[in-house]
Amino acid sequence: MITDYSEIIDRVLIDEESLKLKIKQLAKTINDYYKDKDEVILVGILKGSVMFMAELAKNLKIDMKMDFMVVSSYAENTYSSGNVKILKDLDIDVKGKEVLIVEDIIDTGYTLRKTKENLINREAKDVKIVTLLDKPERREVEIKPDWSGFKIPNEYVVGFGLDYDQLYRNLPYIGILKRSFYEDIEDAK
C-alpha cells in the first residue's frame, strides 16, 4: 500500500482549487446553454467521470437526471485498443431528450465517439460533450468536446476519478504518474 504518493506522482498537474474553480466555470456556461431547454440527462462515463460529474452536478441550476454507462476501449491496458464495448448501459431512455455526456478525459477519442454515435442512434434530441481533461495530442479519431476544462500534455494522469489499474482515483488533484512506475509494472506483466 502506498501512503506517500510522491513515490508514484511525478508532479501535480492541476491542484484541487483549480479543479473546483474550472468546474464552476464550466457549470455556469452549461447553465447558460441549457437555461431554456427541457430537462437534461447527464450521462457519466464510469468510472472515471464520477468525481467530475458529482462536482459539476452540484453547480448546475437546470432540471436534470443522471445516468451512467460503462464504455471501455482500454481493457486492462494503459493504452486504447480502439475496440469499444458497452459494459453497462443506461437505464433512462434518451429518445427525444437533451443529453450531456460527462467524461473525465478525452484521449484517443474512440470511446467517446462510439458513445456519442450510440446516443444519436437512440434518437436523442441533442448530444453534447463536457470533459474535464482534453489530451488532443493523443487523438486518433475526430471528436471534439463542446466544453472542456483543461487541455493537458500527453502524460499519464491520475487522481480526481482517473486511475491506474483502478487505483489513485481518490486523489483530490490531477497528478502525472511517474513513467518509471507504470513502465516497470507493464514490463512485468
Side-chain angles (χ1 to χ4, degrees), residues 40-55:
V40 178
I41 300 173
L42 271 60
V43 174
I45 307 301
L46 293 176
K47 300 174 186 166
S49 72
V50 169
M51 301 262 197
F52 174 44
M53 187 161 162
E55 195 67 28

Side-chain angles (χ1 to χ4, degrees), residues 120-174:
I120 289 169
N121 289 338
R122 295 181 196 197
E123 300 178 33
K125 183 176 183 179
D126 188 39
V127 180
K128 297 290 186 205
I129 299 166
V130 61
T131 186
L132 181 61
L133 305 175
D134 188 6
K135 198 188 292 186
E137 192 177 329
R138 288 265 300 136
R139 200 81 81 247
E140 294 180 14
V141 297
E142 184 65 32
I143 188 85
K144 292 181 182 173
D146 297 281
W147 301 285
S148 176
F150 300 91
K151 282 195 183 351
I152 64 167
N154 187 19
E155 299 284 353
Y156 198 108
V157 292
V158 295
F160 205 73
L162 290 102
D163 73 300
Y164 173 76
D165 197 24
Q166 301 299 323
L167 297 169
Y168 318 119
R169 293 183 192 279
N170 59 314
L171 299 176
Y173 55 82
I174 304 291

Side-chain angles (χ1 to χ4, degrees), residues 5-6 9 11-16 19 158-161 168-176:
Y5 290 110
S6 67
I9 301 296
R11 66 182 162 80
V12 173
L13 183 63
I14 307 166
D15 64 45
E16 186 175 6
L19 285 168
V158 295
F160 205 73
Y168 318 119
R169 293 183 192 279
N170 59 314
L171 299 176
Y173 55 82
I174 304 291
I176 295 176

